[in-house]
Amino acid sequence: MLSAVRSVAVVAALVIAVANGGLPASKALAETYPDRVVKIINPFPPGGSVDVTARLLAQKLSESGHQYIVETRSGAGGNVGADSVAKSDPDGYTLLFTAPGPLAVNKTLYRTPLPFDPETDFAPIAIFAKTPIVLMVNPQLPVKDVKELLDYARANPGKINFGSAGMGSTPHLSGELMKTMAKVELTHVPYRGTAPSMSDLVAGHIQMMFDLLPTSLQQIRGGNVRALANAGATRAKTLKDLPTVAEQGLPGFDASSWVALVAPAKTPAPVLATLRSEVAKAMASPDIVKRLDELGSEPGTADESTVRAFLASETKKWADVVKASGAKVD
């Protein structure tokens, strides 16, 4: 009852404000935002890096007294969840928290046109975290570094299967990039999420995997898998002694990941400003910085122009990888 009364009061206030030449409706709405639950859509299976960091952000934002919840809508490399957000009401109450796939990869990777346009159907809010990707092998594989891995692959064509969290994921494309740059034969085995692919790597059903550091760190430290390299351009702070792929014979190799928060394109600018401000505060909080560091990630940015430029550069980078590798998804 109180909620209904409040809603009527808000609407009445907006009508009066606009009628009297007061605040624009969008600005007035922003002043009451959020006054109900904000849903953050995770377009990937639960338990993976995207899910973990989405819940970390939702929990932090909820400390303000407003409720933010994470809802999983996985499928088609993140496209199902992304499409649902693109077509949702642009009021700031349904947001997308995603890895690169739907925003920077899938438009080039999928043969069939996407049901949404990642460049025009979303308004960027923040790059919440930047995440290293690590190259790992099952400990039974007789290799200790990238050079030995590539030599083994050349001597045993078709005998190395590499897993990933799914077609078009950055770990998948990292493997495709290695195949292209090193000219080796590696067989991709896509899974529905990180957890089953990691289980099969530990069990020896697959021999190799690129994966995001947050979901790999425990297995690496437990000795269940052998980390050979960081796939990014620089060493990860969490594993400073682990050299990069580029350092080990593939100069120019650079594959890392990130998670971003976006809203439907027509979300009012004042609402977007509120979201960027709150997310920026969250990323700067000592507990979030500490937790991301523990996960092997680093806080990103909520500066609009920086986020837009970053997304554009990532879209071009992964499009080049897809085209060079010939990877395609039906």
Side-chain angles (χ1 to χ4, degrees):
M1 180 68 180
L2 287 175
S3 178
V5 170
R6 185 181 180 190
S7 296
V8 171
V10 169
V11 172
L14 290 176
V15 171
I16 292 171
V18 174
N20 292 335
L23 292 174
S26 61
K27 187 173 182 181
L29 279 170
E31 291 186 350
T32 65
Y33 175 86
D35 62 0
R36 52 189 169 88
V37 175
V38 177
K39 291 188 295 184
I40 298 176
I41 304 302
N42 161 32
F44 296 97
S49 180
V50 176
D51 187 50
V52 169
T53 46
R55 294 182 189 280
L56 183 64
L57 174 61
Q59 180 179 1
K60 188 63 182 179
L61 292 175
S62 295
E63 292 178 5
S64 65
H66 303 294
Q67 189 176 7
Y68 293 77
I69 63 170
V70 176
E71 182 178 302
T72 298
R73 296 183 193 171
S74 60
N79 292 339
V80 171
D83 186 46
S84 72
V85 174
K87 292 178 171 57
S88 66
D89 290 336
D91 53 12
Y93 289 96
T94 305
L95 310 174
L96 176 68
F97 188 92
T98 182
L103 297 181
V105 176
N106 294 353
K107 188 174 182 178
T108 306
L109 182 70
Y110 279 71
R111 297 183 194 279
T112 304
L114 301 183
F116 60 91
D117 188 330
E119 296 178 27
T120 60
D121 286 347
F122 298 107
I125 297 169
I127 302 298
F128 179 63
K130 294 184 178 181
T131 306
I133 292 176
V134 178
L135 169 59
M136 299 162 289
V137 296
N138 179 276
Q140 299 304 312
L141 196 70
V143 301
K144 297 293 192 299
D145 55 35
V146 173
K147 183 181 183 303
E148 289 185 2
L149 172 68
L150 297 179
D151 288 343
Y152 182 90
R154 293 185 183 106
N156 299 273
K159 291 189 177 181
I160 293 186
N161 297 319
F162 77 96
S164 79
M167 295 291 289
S169 62
T170 43
H172 166 213
L173 294 181
S174 299
E176 296 293 343
L177 180 61
M178 174 165 279
K179 285 170 58 177
T180 301
M181 291 184 66
K183 295 180 174 54
V184 294
E185 184 179 336
L186 305 170
T187 302
H188 179 228
V189 182
Y191 289 80
R192 299 186 69 177
T194 299
S197 60
M198 180 62 77
S199 294
D200 272 10
L201 179 65
V202 172
H205 300 312
I206 56 175
Q207 292 73 44
M208 163 186 152
M209 188 166 81
F210 284 91
D211 190 31
L212 305 186
L213 185 54
T215 48
S216 319
L217 199 53
Q218 185 176 355
Q219 300 293 349
I220 293 170
R221 287 176 171 168
N224 298 318
V225 298
R226 178 183 297 137
L228 298 187
N230 174 39
T234 59
R235 297 190 183 195
K237 289 195 305 181
T238 309
L239 295 173
K240 292 181 180 179
D241 293 333
L242 186 67
T244 66
V245 173
E247 288 179 81
Q248 298 184 66
L250 280 183
F253 192 98
D254 180 9
S256 56
S257 193
W258 40 267
V259 282
L261 185 69
V262 299
K266 295 182 180 179
T267 301
V271 172
L272 293 172
T274 297
L275 284 165
R276 291 182 184 118
S277 175
E278 291 303 308
V279 175
K281 290 176 187 176
M283 288 189 294
S285 62
D287 53 334
I288 290 292
V289 173
K290 181 174 183 293
R291 182 61 181 139
L292 288 177
D293 185 63
E294 290 171 349
L295 291 170
S297 299
E298 298 180 11
T301 177
D303 178 76
E304 182 182 1
S305 60
T306 302
V307 174
R308 285 188 183 278
F310 179 79
L311 291 176
S313 66
E314 285 289 288
T315 298
K316 182 182 184 307
K317 179 180 85 174
W318 290 116
D320 290 344
V321 172
V322 169
K323 291 171 184 175
S325 69
K328 281 293 179 182
V329 176
D330 292 322

